[in-house]
Amino acid sequence: DHADAIDLMHVGQPIQDVQLRLVDDNDTEVGANTVGHVQLKGNSVTSRIYGDETTTKALFTPDGWLKTGDSGALISNEQTDRSLVIVGRIKDVLISSGQNFYAHDIEAFVSEVDGAELGMVAVASVQEPDSTVEQVAVFVVYRKDLDDFAPLAHEVRATISARAGLD
């Protein structure tokens, strides 16, 4: 009931044949109930980024664990046994034109647009291979007629511009 409290959801255990570990900044495993970087390994986990060896190398640890980019904790208590809780993203701050923005804030702005629901929107920074400039990318899950997506995309852009000052 604290004013600064947030709700976090247990996402459970990894699927069969997938290993999960939480590590610190040095890839050393952390204990239960401790926030760390979420890493995965297993037969159903991708082994590379097609056509991009540089990104592939950065995406995996030397011993083959996929760095998901998420931070989380394995919670053990009387209700759960090592259940994964996603806390956020490791790089949750996006930098655009020298200003810092939190991805979850932009996602919340986008979710105000009719047709773009929270949980169906993801915001990330992207960078062209030969550029040093980061851009903000918005991904919207949209399962309706493609012709109707253009107005939604325009409204999403306008909302982000009005609420966050981003182009």
Side-chain angles (χ1 to χ4, degrees):
D1 293 330
H2 192 278
D4 294 331
I6 60 171
D7 290 324
L8 300 171
M9 184 171 67
H10 290 260
V11 294
Q13 309 280 327
I15 61 172
Q16 184 177 356
D17 298 325
V18 173
Q19 298 170 314
L20 165 73
R21 73 178 184 181
L22 291 162
V23 299
D24 62 17
D25 292 339
N26 299 314
D27 290 332
T28 303
E29 286 194 57
V30 298
N33 303 321
T34 303
V35 174
H37 304 276
V38 178
Q39 295 182 350
L40 301 172
K41 191 179 205 180
N43 292 334
S44 64
V45 176
T46 190
S47 61
R48 65 189 173 106
I49 303 294
Y50 180 75
D52 191 345
E53 292 306 314
T54 303
T55 302
T56 296
K57 188 173 182 177
L59 190 60
F60 289 89
T61 64
D63 56 347
W65 289 85
L66 171 74
K67 302 174 193 174
T68 67
D70 296 316
S71 61
L74 289 171
I75 304 300
S76 291
N77 58 34
E78 53 277 353
Q79 288 92 24
T80 63
D81 182 33
R82 295 180 54 82
S83 176
L84 177 62
V85 173
I86 299 295
V87 176
R89 297 184 188 122
I90 293 166
K91 186 181 183 279
D92 209 18
V93 177
L94 309 174
I95 302 170
S96 180
S97 302
Q99 290 186 295
N100 294 346
F101 298 92
Y102 287 95
H104 60 268
D105 288 339
I106 298 170
E107 290 166 357
F109 298 153
V110 173
S111 71
E112 296 171 2
V113 175
D114 189 33
E117 303 160 24
L118 194 60
M120 304 300 268
V121 174
V123 173
S125 63
V126 294
Q127 187 173 342
E128 294 292 327
D130 298 327
S131 175
T132 58
V133 178
E134 286 187 354
Q135 296 181 7
V136 175
V138 178
F139 301 89
V140 178
V141 175
Y142 189 79
R143 294 189 172 112
K144 297 177 184 172
D145 185 45
L146 187 57
D147 292 336
D148 295 333
F149 183 71
L152 174 65
H154 178 74
E155 190 172 348
V156 165
R157 283 189 186 112
T159 299
I160 292 171
S161 178
R163 299 291 307 272
L166 285 167
D167 290 326

